[in-house]
Amino acid sequence: ERSNLAGVRHILLVLSGKGGVGKSTISTELALSLRHSGRKVGILDVDLCGPSIPRMFKVQDNDVHQCDSGWVPVFVDQDKSISLMSIGFLLEKPDDAVVWRGPKKNALIKQFVADVAWGDLDFLIVDTPPGTSDEHISTVEALRPYKPLGAILVTTPQAVSVGDVRRELTFCKKMGLRVLGIVENMSGFVCPHCLECTNIFSKGGGEELAKHAGVPFLGCVPLDPQLSQSLEEGRDFIQEFPKSSAFPALSHIAQQVLDGTLQQSS
């Protein structure tokens, strides 16, 4: 029997031991960057208690339908170049809370991995909740037969965040998951008027951690009101704001992901 992930070439997990560091932001912008380089991308949102991916693509009112192979993901555009699956599409009301114990969450994650008809994709990006426990173990174990490419770890620069991401590195090691690199998000604020950069949350923690752990450092993404605005309104930041200070950083991260897949296949 053909698996629903048989047509997916590369699976990437976006992880962080900490909440609020911008995993969904990085997942969204990485998907948009890869789409603009001609790739077909899916995002599997396994953050069951805080599903924000549907809103970031302005498709939160869409419904999920069934087909012979399982659930049909929600497509962002007519070209079907980005497809999404999230518990956000399955809730009756947007304010509904997911008050579930571990076993029920784990069962849904396994269902998401097995029962979504993704079709042919170049990349499936898995946006995860904070932490290193139940949902993460279930996600990695369910994806293991499909040999995921690896994980991108997201941190903010300050020491308390870097400490949590250090635990996520240990999780990846224990689970046998390759770390593709670390992204330092919210790394400084570039004033739109004078272009001076202010390091609101200090700077360099992510790069230091990458050096210490011997994994690639993928780059620093600065705080940018245009990026926040585009995510709030479900707009394509990569297309609409090429002059933003965050644009080159996000494009560079996507290019390194592409380079990593080429190295792996050569």
Side-chain angles (χ1 to χ4, degrees):
E1 190 182 334
R2 181 182 158 88
S3 150
N4 275 333
L5 288 173
V8 178
R9 294 178 63 199
H10 304 293
I11 300 171
L12 291 172
L13 288 92
V14 178
L15 297 168
S16 175
K18 190 164 185 60
V21 296
K23 289 181 296 298
S24 298
T25 297
I26 297 299
S27 297
T28 297
E29 300 309 328
L30 181 56
L32 290 167
S33 296
L34 291 168
R35 191 260 297 270
H36 285 298
S37 67
R39 300 331 192 258
K40 281 189 83 171
V41 188
I43 302 184
L44 175 56
D45 181 5
V46 294
D47 191 346
L48 304 183
C49 297
S52 47
I53 290 290
R55 186 189 170 121
M56 288 178 170
F57 284 94
K58 212 175 181 179
V59 290
Q60 64 268 37
D61 297 327
N62 289 39
D63 293 320
V64 168
H65 302 287
Q66 292 274 354
C67 69
D68 291 345
S69 313
W71 283 326
V72 179
V74 169
F75 296 103
V76 171
D77 54 3
Q78 287 186 327
D79 297 337
K80 299 186 175 180
S81 58
I82 296 183
S83 48
L84 313 175
M85 177 50 72
S86 168
I87 196 173
F89 299 128
L90 307 176
L91 300 174
E92 281 187 26
K93 299 176 193 157
D95 297 338
D96 283 352
V98 177
V99 188
W100 292 357
R101 291 192 185 276
K104 196 170 179 186
K105 286 184 184 176
N106 297 341
L108 182 65
I109 287 169
K110 285 173 187 164
Q111 201 173 351
F112 271 169
V113 169
D115 292 350
V116 179
W118 293 107
D120 291 329
L121 292 179
D122 294 300
F123 289 92
L124 177 63
I125 298 167
V126 183
D127 183 34
T128 65
T132 55
S133 56
D134 257 19
E135 290 106 305
H136 305 79
I137 297 166
S138 292
T139 303
V140 174
E141 286 184 342
L143 290 170
R144 200 188 299 285
Y146 308 101
K147 297 184 173 56
L149 184 65
I152 291 172
L153 272 52
V154 184
T155 185
T156 49
Q158 64 270 55
V160 68
S161 173
V162 170
D164 286 344
V165 176
R166 191 175 275 116
R167 295 183 192 99
E168 198 72 46
L169 281 163
T170 310
F171 168 82
C172 291
K173 201 171 180 182
K174 284 188 172 177
M175 297 300 290
L177 189 62
R178 187 161 76 101
V179 176
L180 300 175
I182 294 174
V183 173
E184 184 175 290
N185 195 25
M186 307 182 203
S187 182
F189 169 71
V190 179
C191 173
H193 306 294
C194 69
L195 301 181
E196 186 179 332
C197 183
T198 305
N199 294 319
I200 296 170
F201 298 125
S202 77
K203 189 171 175 66
E207 191 165 6
E208 199 61 40
L209 178 60
K211 266 187 206 162
H212 175 75
V215 300
F217 180 64
L218 300 178
C220 299
V221 180
L223 282 162
D224 186 339
Q226 290 177 324
L227 177 55
S228 307
Q229 183 190 351
S230 69
L231 290 162
E232 284 286 321
E233 297 172 3
R235 290 158 68 189
D236 185 340
F237 172 81
I238 300 295
Q239 188 172 29
E240 293 187 35
F241 299 105
K243 292 183 179 170
S244 150
S245 54
F247 178 88
L250 292 164
S251 301
H252 181 62
I253 291 163
Q255 190 55 54
Q256 287 184 90
V257 168
L258 287 168
D259 293 346
T261 60
L262 289 172
Q263 283 170 11
Q264 195 198 40
S265 55
S266 62

